[in-house]
Amino acid sequence: MMNSKVSFYKYTLTFLALLIGLSFYAQEHLHPLSSNLNLPKTIHKNQAASQKSTSTSSIYLPFFDDFSYAYKSPYPSANNWVDSNTYVNTGFAIAPISLGVATFDGLNKFGYPYNIGAAVSTSGSADTLKSRPIHLDSIPTSNPLVYKKYSPLDSIALTFYYQAEGFGEAPEASDSLCVDFYKPLADSSRGVWTKVWGKPGYNPSPTDTSFYRVKIGIVDTAYFHDGFRFRFRNKATTSGSLDHWHVDYIQVKEQYYYDDTLLIDASFVYKPSSFLKNYSVMPLRQYNQALELGTSFTNFFRNNNSTAISATYSYSVRDKNNTLITDTSIIFPTGILPFTSNGYYPGAAANPAFSNNRKPFSNIGTFTDSTNYQILQIFNPGSKNSYKGNDTISYKQNFSNYYAYDDGSAEQGYYLGGNSYGAKVALRYTLNVADTLKALRIYFDPITQGNLIVNSSFRIIVWANNGNGPGNIIYKDSLMFPRYESGSYNKIPVYNLTSCLNLGVGTYYFGIQQTTGQPLNIGFDRNTNHKNALY
């Protein structure tokens, strides 16, 4: 659904359309982004200090990262990585091995192009993901005075999974994803990086959504010292969110034989859907339990084992005072089949309905300004699980002063092609109580034509409901121009109405009409499907 919000009197309705599985009309298009809405222009000081303080010390094997913390942070963990430009997320990959991936593209750590003027036909050095120093000289044993010495006979290897494109843009033949190893003592001053693997860019077929496994043995004795490192790097068009590679489930461990391909693991792979039926966020005073609470919600579980497994699943909802509102536990007997042969677990228990007397959000006051609920979801596959970090998701269900359909991230840009002068686009919203519209928030992405977009005017328009779509215009504002908030590309600008608009109970369509022929690129969420609300 598009990145946008719509605001009322204290309430902001955001106009953000980020869609998935949409059958486009001929004039509708998707385009790669020039920036990342989810990354801040400046890194938080505490995070930078944490990375700086931990990145110099060596760590011991085994090394593991599946980026399952993506729902909490867009940055690689300082426990494993030094400063990195990759984007940790849950939205760009299709069917990842587990929750979260590291995405390589043409944007830096701030979500901004390395070179916004680079031609789309060029490829240059872009993202790097570099491990902390690793002890490949030895490892402590149960005797604190004794260390085991590593050698090539210990069958130490790096393994990982990669996917090209996903929900992003396919890397071209001149692009690439590479892996380098670091020889700590090869040079007296700094050591030497050696390329050990590479994959040129390609355009996957529409049916190819697989992650591919790579195994690289560590056999050169020059690596078996304290300070060994490895890194991923890509070449891409550096003027936007282009030429995507997604990396998941990175491991370095000993006794890693060639046929050691089994993953004893089952986990979440995407963030759960909203508990709300119609929106991801809505104004608290507009919440009506009978109309807005979903009768079910969706989770995606992936069984990476080779056989069916039994598991349990539970969720709990607490208010902002940590008071338990509801909780439920479900047992999946023996029916979660392997993903490789059966896909995601499709059983009804993966979409548990709320019991009639334990629905969450039933104690909400009518006229409070805003609140949130902490939702904890746990998937427990018991012994068929080698890593616990990807089994738990905790997030907030917000009730604020705006409506939004999208999940807050944009994977591509949505625009109307051709001569788009006069083109109109709107999203449908329904008010359960009378309110006052104050503003729309719209994220226009500059892509590679930012100088043209910021000079392309539009009008905010509100349409009445004609029964099955927009009807008569009930409000048309004066000319406005796209803009970008200073200091950050993860802020959605607010476009205030010239005069606030009083609205009664009912359905309305909030949107824009373009007044130039230049296409305007609106942030597009490929993971949230509300195509029936877009007109």
Side-chain angles (χ1 to χ4, degrees), residues 268-284:
F268 291 102
V269 289
Y270 295 121
K271 290 188 298 185
S273 64
S274 172
F275 273 42
L276 300 179
K277 181 190 303 182
N278 302 307
Y279 310 100
S280 62
V281 182
M282 67 180 299
L284 183 60

Side-chain angles (χ1 to χ4, degrees), residues 399-455:
F399 292 88
S400 191
N401 63 343
Y402 63 90
Y403 284 96
Y405 284 101
D406 60 277
D407 65 4
S409 66
E411 285 74 44
Q412 291 187 315
Y414 170 89
Y415 69 99
L416 301 177
N419 184 351
S420 50
Y421 181 91
K424 300 180 287 291
V425 61
L427 287 170
R428 181 187 67 237
Y429 297 92
T430 297
L431 306 189
N432 299 318
V433 297
D435 219 319
T436 303
L437 179 65
K438 178 183 179 181
L440 272 67
R441 297 180 192 169
I442 311 173
Y443 179 69
F444 294 106
D445 188 84
I447 306 186
T448 55
Q449 299 173 310
N451 59 328
L452 297 177
I453 292 176
V454 295
N455 293 310

Side-chain angles (χ1 to χ4, degrees), residues 60-61 135 138-144 146-148 150:
Y60 289 97
L61 297 184
H135 279 288
S138 60
I139 187 171
T141 66
S142 57
N143 185 339
V146 177
Y147 282 74
K148 172 188 173 182
Y150 282 132

Side-chain angles (χ1 to χ4, degrees), residues 111-131:
Y112 193 73
Y114 289 98
N115 179 7
I116 198 167
V120 294
S121 59
T122 62
S123 291
S125 297
D127 291 341
T128 300
L129 179 63
K130 182 166 60 177
S131 76

Side-chain angles (χ1 to χ4, degrees), residues 288-443:
N288 179 305
Q289 179 176 306
L291 299 175
E292 303 295 348
L293 179 63
T295 57
S296 65
F297 57 95
T298 303
N299 275 298
F300 293 92
F301 304 126
R302 173 166 173 156
N303 175 15
N304 291 310
N305 293 270
S306 60
T307 58
I309 63 171
S310 59
T312 61
Y313 165 78
S314 63
Y315 72 84
S316 62
V317 180
R318 295 179 179 271
D319 65 19
K320 61 183 179 181
N321 298 317
N322 203 34
T323 301
L324 181 65
I325 302 299
T326 186
D327 60 344
T328 295
S329 181
I330 298 167
I331 297 176
F332 303 150
T334 57
I336 302 184
L337 299 173
F339 177 83
T340 53
S341 56
N342 296 274
Y344 298 120
Y345 177 61
N351 304 286
F354 304 122
S355 59
N356 291 330
N357 61 344
R358 295 182 68 82
K359 289 188 177 182
F361 320 138
S362 59
N363 300 327
I364 294 177
T366 305
F367 296 106
T368 309
D369 182 49
S370 63
T371 192
N372 63 73
Y373 289 79
Q374 191 72 30
I375 300 173
L376 178 68
Q377 302 199 38
I378 300 173
F379 174 61
N380 182 8
S383 62
K384 301 296 184 179
N385 197 35
S386 58
Y387 181 61
K388 299 293 185 183
N390 52 32
D391 300 340
T392 302
I393 299 179
S394 178
Y395 62 98
K396 290 181 179 179
Q397 175 65 63
N398 291 312
F399 292 88
S400 191
N401 63 343
Y402 63 90
Y403 284 96
Y405 284 101
D406 60 277
D407 65 4
S409 66
E411 285 74 44
Q412 291 187 315
Y414 170 89
Y415 69 99
L416 301 177
N419 184 351
S420 50
Y421 181 91
K424 300 180 287 291
V425 61
L427 287 170
R428 181 187 67 237
Y429 297 92
T430 297
L431 306 189
N432 299 318
V433 297
D435 219 319
T436 303
L437 179 65
K438 178 183 179 181
L440 272 67
R441 297 180 192 169
I442 311 173
Y443 179 69

Side-chain angles (χ1 to χ4, degrees), residues 142-159:
S142 57
N143 185 339
L145 300 179
V146 177
Y147 282 74
K148 172 188 173 182
K149 295 292 184 180
Y150 282 132
S151 78
L153 297 177
D154 290 306
S155 299
I156 299 175
L158 164 70
T159 62

Side-chain angles (χ1 to χ4, degrees), residues 67-346:
F67 310 104
S68 56
Y69 47 83
Y71 67 96
K72 296 185 289 187
S73 171
Y75 298 104
S77 170
N79 293 328
N80 287 330
W81 310 100
V82 297
D83 194 22
S84 166
N85 295 314
T86 53
Y87 171 43
V88 175
N89 66 94
T90 62
F92 267 108
I94 299 175
I97 304 301
S98 65
L99 181 71
V101 296
T103 293
F104 293 74
D105 55 18
L107 304 178
N108 63 21
K109 75 178 68 176
F110 310 119
Y112 193 73
Y114 289 98
N115 179 7
I116 198 167
V120 294
S121 59
T122 62
S123 291
S125 297
D127 291 341
T128 300
L129 179 63
K130 182 166 60 177
S131 76
R132 285 177 56 182
I134 299 172
H135 279 288
L136 275 196
D137 52 345
S138 60
I139 187 171
T141 66
S142 57
N143 185 339
L145 300 179
V146 177
Y147 282 74
K148 172 188 173 182
K149 295 292 184 180
Y150 282 132
S151 78
L153 297 177
D154 290 306
S155 299
I156 299 175
L158 164 70
T159 62
F160 63 92
Y161 290 79
Y162 74 88
Q163 180 184 73
E165 187 177 15
F167 285 127
E169 190 220 24
E172 299 167 323
S174 57
D175 305 320
S176 61
L177 178 69
C178 299
V179 175
D180 304 325
F181 284 172
Y182 183 73
K183 298 178 179 179
L185 304 182
D187 183 277
S188 59
S189 60
R190 59 178 183 174
V192 172
W193 286 99
T194 301
K195 179 181 174 181
V196 295
W197 179 86
K199 179 70 176 178
Y202 67 98
N203 189 0
S205 70
T207 59
D208 181 5
T209 58
S210 299
F211 269 77
Y212 294 95
R213 181 178 181 266
V214 176
K215 178 179 178 292
I216 307 170
I218 303 175
V219 296
D220 191 331
T221 56
Y223 298 130
F224 287 85
H225 301 282
D226 181 16
F228 167 79
R229 299 184 185 205
F230 65 94
R231 71 183 180 190
F232 296 85
R233 56 184 173 86
N234 74 312
K235 289 184 66 178
T237 299
T238 54
S239 56
S241 181
L242 301 156
D243 307 325
H244 293 88
W245 301 92
H246 316 294
V247 175
D248 197 9
Y249 227 86
I250 302 170
Q251 297 187 81
V252 182
K253 66 179 183 179
E254 60 179 312
Q255 306 306 323
Y256 212 148
Y257 300 107
Y258 185 79
D259 59 353
D260 186 5
T261 60
L262 180 64
L263 294 180
I264 314 263
D265 198 10
S267 72
F268 291 102
V269 289
Y270 295 121
K271 290 188 298 185
S273 64
S274 172
F275 273 42
L276 300 179
K277 181 190 303 182
N278 302 307
Y279 310 100
S280 62
V281 182
M282 67 180 299
L284 183 60
R285 71 187 308 248
Q286 292 289 343
Y287 177 76
N288 179 305
Q289 179 176 306
L291 299 175
E292 303 295 348
L293 179 63
T295 57
S296 65
F297 57 95
T298 303
N299 275 298
F300 293 92
F301 304 126
R302 173 166 173 156
N303 175 15
N304 291 310
N305 293 270
S306 60
T307 58
I309 63 171
S310 59
T312 61
Y313 165 78
S314 63
Y315 72 84
S316 62
V317 180
R318 295 179 179 271
D319 65 19
K320 61 183 179 181
N321 298 317
N322 203 34
T323 301
L324 181 65
I325 302 299
T326 186
D327 60 344
T328 295
S329 181
I330 298 167
I331 297 176
F332 303 150
T334 57
I336 302 184
L337 299 173
F339 177 83
T340 53
S341 56
N342 296 274
Y344 298 120
Y345 177 61

